[in-house]
Amino acid sequence: MNFRPTKSDFRKINGRYQSSVETPVGSAEAGAGDGQSAEAQKRRRRGGFLLPLIVLVAIAAYLDKTGSLPFWPVGMLAQRLVPLLPAPIRVAVESWTAPATPTQNAAEEPPGPGPGGPGGSRRVRPGGNQAVPVLVAKVKTEDVPVTTDAVGTVQALATILVKPQIDGLLLEVGFKEGQFVKKGDVLARLDARTYQAQYDQMVAKKAQDESQLANAMTDLARYEKLATTDYGTRQQADTQKAMVTQLQALVRADQAQIDNARTYLDYTTVRAPIDGRTGIRVVDPGNIVHANDQAGIVVLTEVQPISIIFNLPQQSLKALSAATARGPVDIQVLDADEANVIDRGTLTVIDNQVDPTTGTVRLKATFPNTQSQLWPGQFVNVRVLVETLKDAVVVPSAAVQRGPNGAYVFVVAEDKTARQTPVVIGRQDELRAVVVDGVKPPAEVVTTGFARLIDGTKVTIGTADTSPDATPTKRPDDKRRKAPGQPDTQPTPESQDAPANLPDDAQRRRSAPGQLGPSRRGDATGPAGLGRTSPSQPPDAANTQGILPTTRVR
């Protein structure tokens, strides 16, 4: 069949004229067009790029050798590149001499009448009827806790600045820094000699006054007896009675002075007012301390139990009020990664007003803190259990996909086809999603392998080791030419884009972006030997240091 296109049937693409008339299948032109694959075209473009560079390097090296090159750095660079020319020359020659392999497809639609039938071009459908490997999970029912997260500040239930109540010399300290003490334990002792002397003086004064009182009471009894027999005057008896009353008041005053002196004497021994943990000592023994010192001796905090103050939006008040009405509200303290629970406690109080500037309400929770993992002033992640949804239908969060019409999942039918099913999601976190409507147990939903899924696609259920994310699917047209002497092995993902016959220097320049190339000083990866693997380490030891190992292709 002879076919000759006219000039109007050509269009200019990338500076070249290409026929816009569809070539019939079976003609010589169609056979030639089908013989050139994208792989062959790519190799020829690479060869066309390398040949001019090779010629320029050779000319510069020749001019530098003959002394005709005026700019000496270019000559020096050319002399260093000359030993590396055999590898690019071999790549360029192979790119032009390698036979072109026709592009193969997984499945082709049979030709029929019309554009794709006899005499027309073939239409290729990628993928064909090949089953897509996926991972699935069963839809199930379980109790789902509804929680609210916040960031809180740890506060001690009580913070006491221990200070002396009198002035004196600090003789000794009865605690160690960071020690847990009980209420009444001795923390410090002051010089008590002055206060002991005052106390003894008050005791002696009281004894003196009590002696005078006893004598006055004896005289009063004598005068009253004489007054009754008219041997003494009544005035003398009344005067003696007043004297006894004065001495009794003086004795009571002496007792008050004794109590005061005893109090000051007790102040020389500083005791713990609460159960708590001591901090860093402020003053050392041998110093004169005063009652008006601002620093004090030590700070004592009560950390078992301990409290946490945090804020929640005012929209959570309704749910919190309902939760407190049902009983104690459970609260968890999580670590920085929100993966482990540090401690569990209960909600103590909800503040009586909302902050108008932020629209939040303050809450206070109490925790036992038996393992002393919470410290005053620490910022922690708090999770409040508001309610629990009983027998809720849940699916993994990875199974929920989003589209223009909302959320949907791929349900695996009995005939091993994936059916796109719209769902209504109630609550969702990083692990699971509560489905209000759409799927019911014991259906199976796809969790991995969505890239090639459409409604009605055939699927094959695999395991985690054979998931499409872990093992890339080999396409029929994924064929690579093997260089002479190269082992028959598949290239690793890190080295698929690197030519196998380039030297080490060229391979360093082709390192992937963000990946450190091989070092010039040995097997170290990156500067200063980062990621270096010793003979005693396994091949993947560099991964433990957070450095991606560079694959060397020889």
Side-chain angles (χ1 to χ4, degrees), residues 40 43-45 47-48 51 89-101 481 484:
R43 287 198 299 268
R44 293 196 175 185
R45 286 196 300 268
L51 285 178
I89 292 174
R90 184 168 64 253
V91 173
V93 172
E94 289 180 357
S95 65
W96 287 93
T97 59
T101 57
R481 288 184 54 82

Side-chain angles (χ1 to χ4, degrees), residues 214-236:
N215 184 42
M217 293 180 66
T218 302
D219 291 343
L220 176 60
R222 185 180 303 114
Y223 290 150
E224 287 181 347
K225 186 177 181 180
L226 292 175
T228 55
T229 58
D230 294 334
Y231 285 101
T233 62
R234 190 65 187 176
Q235 180 181 5
Q236 187 177 9

Side-chain angles (χ1 to χ4, degrees), residues 133-137 445-449 460-468:
V134 296
L135 297 181
V136 299
V445 293
V446 178
T447 59
T448 304
T460 174
I461 301 176
T463 60
D465 296 336
T466 61
S467 64

Side-chain angles (χ1 to χ4, degrees), residues 518-531:
S519 174
R520 295 176 177 269
R521 298 185 178 179
D523 296 334
T525 303
L530 291 178

Side-chain angles (χ1 to χ4, degrees), residues 47 50-51 54 81 84-94 501-503:
L50 290 176
L51 285 178
I54 295 171
L81 292 179
L84 304 178
L85 289 181
I89 292 174
R90 184 168 64 253
V91 173
V93 172
E94 289 180 357
N501 52 2
L502 287 181

Side-chain angles (χ1 to χ4, degrees), residues 53 58 69 91 105 156 163 195 225 271 281 291 365 425 437 502:
L53 294 181
L69 189 64
V91 173
N105 297 283
K163 299 172 61 177
Y195 300 99
K225 186 177 181 180
R271 301 181 182 273
R281 187 177 67 249
I425 303 299
D437 187 21
L502 287 181

